[in-house]
Amino acid sequence: MTVTFFSTKSYDREYFERRNSDHHILRFLETPLTEQTAQLAAGSKAVCIFVNDRCNADAIKTLNEKGIRLIALRCAGFNNVDMAAAKAHGMTVVRVPAYSPHAVAEHAVALMLTLNRKTHKAYNRVREGNFSLERLTGFDLHGKTVGVVGTGKIGSVFAQIMLGFGCRVLAYDIFENQELIAKGVRYVPLGELLSASGIVSLHCPLNDQTHHLVNAESLKKMRPGAMLINTGRGALMDTRATLVALKSGRLGYLGIDVYEQEENLFFQDHSETIIQDELILRLMSFPNVLITAHQAFFTDEALSEIARVTLQNISDFEAGKPLENEVKIQ
Ligand code: NAD
């Protein structure tokens, strides 16, 4: 099957070509999918897209007109696809529900440890011959309360890592995970989790219920000086309200791998351009904010698995087999 890839990076091409044992024709485009670029998929039966491709109703309409039948997401989240439009046009949507929950959970821990122990600052200091410890004080994680919002595949790995650190782990989810309860995790209402946790980490999907789950009101419920980690999706947090909480000192640390307006910034080199996004520039100015550019998934294991599962989804669709990873809406 001919598949047009949008938002292709060198590593996508490398891992997908290596895994392409069914010999699909892979057409790699660097441009993201938008309503304007959708026509570039003409001649393909499928498109393969990533987190910031804009698969809205207009893009889907054009894809449909150009003969595309399958939208294959090479990621887990599908909040960037207008599922109602896909359904209306009879398009099939598949994704990679789990490629390495460890990759993302471990990155959340990396953000947390870096913010706490300031290893990024220590690294720069020592390289400049500055061996002072002034202002590098951290805190023991052992014995601290960590709140996990969303205990699916990633959140449950993160919760277990935190248990390994000797933390008390609270969780909030619409479904309780009995295995985690047996290991000592306690489910509580969201308000209680926010007010009791020194560290809060977000691992739920972005949808209508979770949009701006962290907002001015919920930030007020958090413990003064608490740490917030977001490796989920940018819009789980109201960035402006979070900035206010940082400025007032109420929020003690922020570690994010995702950002509400990331689609015009992330995965690209802007080092020689003037960044116009005032919000991220302000965030970057805080000494207690750590930003990575949506790299939590970025491990060798995860990239291999993403390519394997996406190509399997495409082969299954072509062969008319049942689609294990189809995204369905009611
Ligand atoms: P998952 O589906 O296994 O788990 C999500 C959990 O969130 C489920 O337990 C679900 O019940 C819970 N949930 C749903 N709605 C909720 C709500 N309103 N309140 C509280 N909990 C709710 O998904 P996963 O594989 O663990 O991934 C979680 C999210 O992480 C994805 O949706 C994606 O947005 C994000 N993600 C980010 C990266 C990255 O590189 N930064 C990589 C992969 C996934």
Side-chain angles (χ1 to χ4, degrees):
M1 184 184 287
T2 303
V3 187
T4 297
F5 282 60
F6 286 90
S7 301
T8 311
K9 300 290 176 199
S10 62
Y11 43 86
D12 295 313
R13 183 185 277 262
E14 180 191 335
Y15 280 83
F16 274 86
E17 282 180 343
R18 201 188 295 162
R19 282 282 183 176
N20 188 18
S21 51
D22 284 345
H23 306 293
H24 294 294
I25 298 165
L26 311 180
R27 293 170 51 194
F28 294 106
L29 303 182
E30 286 178 21
T31 181
L33 173 67
T34 63
E35 49 275 37
Q36 285 82 30
T37 62
Q39 54 180 314
L40 298 172
S44 310
K45 270 274 170 303
V47 290
C48 183
I49 63 171
F50 196 49
V51 292
N52 292 328
D53 285 307
R54 214 180 313 141
C55 200
N56 57 21
D58 288 341
I60 289 172
K61 183 171 173 286
T62 305
L63 290 175
N64 186 53
E65 286 165 5
K66 298 293 174 195
I68 312 304
R69 309 309 316 142
L70 177 70
I71 299 168
L73 287 144
R74 52 181 190 277
C75 55
F78 52 89
N79 51 284
N80 54 333
V81 180
D82 185 329
M83 287 304 300
K87 190 178 179 183
H89 286 99
M91 304 266 258
T92 302
V93 181
V94 287
R95 66 178 180 132
V96 188
Y99 38 87
S100 172
H102 300 281
V104 185
E106 289 170 14
H107 190 77
V109 177
L111 291 176
M112 194 183 76
L113 286 172
T114 307
L115 278 169
N116 174 12
R117 303 306 297 268
K118 305 173 178 65
T119 42
H120 55 323
K121 296 184 184 181
Y123 172 80
N124 285 329
R125 276 193 197 185
V126 170
R127 279 170 67 92
E128 289 176 7
N130 176 358
F131 299 94
S132 160
L133 298 185
E134 296 292 339
R135 300 180 308 284
L136 292 183
T137 322
F139 57 86
D140 283 10
L141 279 167
H142 187 268
K144 295 293 184 299
T145 300
V146 177
V148 187
V149 180
T151 52
K153 289 174 285 293
I154 297 169
S156 66
V157 172
F158 178 81
Q160 291 175 73
I161 297 173
M162 291 298 94
L163 288 171
F165 272 92
C167 297
R168 177 173 163 252
V169 181
L170 301 179
Y172 169 72
D173 197 305
I174 47 177
F175 299 109
E176 297 191 353
N177 176 333
Q178 295 306 319
E179 276 178 37
L180 286 184
I181 294 175
K183 288 179 176 165
V185 172
R186 193 158 69 84
Y187 281 86
V188 293
L190 181 60
E192 187 179 336
L193 179 146
L194 295 173
S195 60
S197 303
I199 298 166
V200 174
S201 193
L202 306 180
H203 299 287
C204 56
L206 175 63
N207 54 35
D208 291 345
Q209 286 74 47
T210 59
H211 183 264
H212 286 187
L213 180 120
V214 173
N215 52 38
E217 213 175 298
S218 47
L219 282 158
K220 278 190 200 125
K221 292 185 186 153
M222 287 180 74
R223 277 170 61 163
M227 182 187 292
L228 178 62
I229 302 289
N230 185 8
T231 57
R233 282 289 180 269
L236 292 176
M237 270 172 37
D238 178 342
T239 314
R240 287 182 194 281
T242 309
L243 261 179
V244 173
L246 281 164
K247 273 175 82 174
S248 71
R250 178 156 185 104
L251 185 62
Y253 311 80
L254 176 69
I256 54 174
D257 184 54
V258 285
Y259 170 58
E260 262 189 299
Q261 295 163 189
E262 71 177 49
E263 67 175 69
N264 297 323
L265 286 172
F266 284 14
F267 308 118
Q268 296 154 36
D269 181 357
H270 289 282
S271 56
E272 294 297 324
T273 53
I274 309 298
I275 295 173
Q276 301 295 329
D277 186 323
E278 303 290 336
L279 215 51
I280 199 147
L281 291 173
R282 184 68 180 102
L283 278 179
M284 284 156 60
S285 74
F286 287 90
N288 52 349
V289 172
L290 182 62
I291 305 172
T292 53
H294 211 133
Q295 73 173 79
F297 74 100
F298 206 56
T299 65
D300 176 57
E301 290 82 354
L303 288 171
S304 295
E305 194 58 7
I306 287 170
R308 185 189 71 75
V309 175
T310 304
L311 290 165
Q312 188 62 53
N313 288 341
I314 292 166
S315 295
D316 288 348
F317 177 82
E318 188 175 36
K321 290 187 183 164
L323 295 172
E324 208 184 314
N325 300 318
E326 184 170 358
V327 184
K328 287 193 177 133
I329 55 162
Q330 276 71 41

